[in-house]
Amino acid sequence: MPRQPVDPALNSVANQSGLNDFLEGASMNTQQRIVAAIANNPIVIFMKGTPQHPQCGFSMRAAQALQACGVPFAHVDILADIEVGDELPDYSNWPTFPQIFIKGELVGGCDIVVDLYQRGELQRLTREATGA
């Protein structure tokens, strides 16, 4: 997917859905916090950085694909919550980041999400997940 300027309106949607404060403030162990983030959000990306300030190219590309779908999604910055970053690969059986979950299911990482976007499938999946 070519780098495109991100629509500021989409940035504000992602801004409202950062989960790090929720996850850090919750009185749950790390595994429970991961499960809660996935269960309570139709779409969530575990990434390095945030959609507004990604800290790696793969996270940036995956977040841009989600933003281009025009639906709200939650994000967890694994650099800000090291425990989640350490434990998520064991939970998901997926070793790398970003990791994108839609309706509780791991969709995959950057390459898979970008491919789904290019084929028009990500748009459908995200609309169905959010009822948009």
Side-chain angles (χ1 to χ4, degrees), residues 16-54:
Q16 298 169 8
S17 302
L19 296 176
N20 285 87
D21 291 338
F22 164 76
L23 291 175
E24 290 174 6
S27 60
M28 299 180 265
N29 68 36
T30 305
Q31 181 89 8
Q32 290 169 325
R33 292 185 294 140
I34 291 168
V35 170
I38 294 167
N40 293 322
N41 295 281
I43 305 167
V44 62
I45 179 173
F46 293 86
M47 64 184 291
K48 294 178 181 176
T50 68
Q52 298 74 34
H53 302 287

Side-chain angles (χ1 to χ4, degrees), residues 3-86:
R3 285 182 68 167
Q4 303 169 355
V6 177
D7 181 341
L10 295 176
N11 264 341
S12 66
V13 168
N15 253 342
Q16 298 169 8
S17 302
L19 296 176
N20 285 87
D21 291 338
F22 164 76
L23 291 175
E24 290 174 6
S27 60
M28 299 180 265
N29 68 36
T30 305
Q31 181 89 8
Q32 290 169 325
R33 292 185 294 140
I34 291 168
V35 170
I38 294 167
N40 293 322
N41 295 281
I43 305 167
V44 62
I45 179 173
F46 293 86
M47 64 184 291
K48 294 178 181 176
T50 68
Q52 298 74 34
H53 302 287
Q55 298 300 307
C56 89
F58 297 112
S59 290
M60 178 188 68
R61 290 178 59 217
Q64 285 178 334
L66 288 173
Q67 289 170 324
C69 292
V71 298
F73 63 91
H75 67 273
V76 176
D77 179 357
I78 63 158
L79 299 176
D81 192 336
I82 300 299
E83 292 173 342
V84 169
D86 287 344

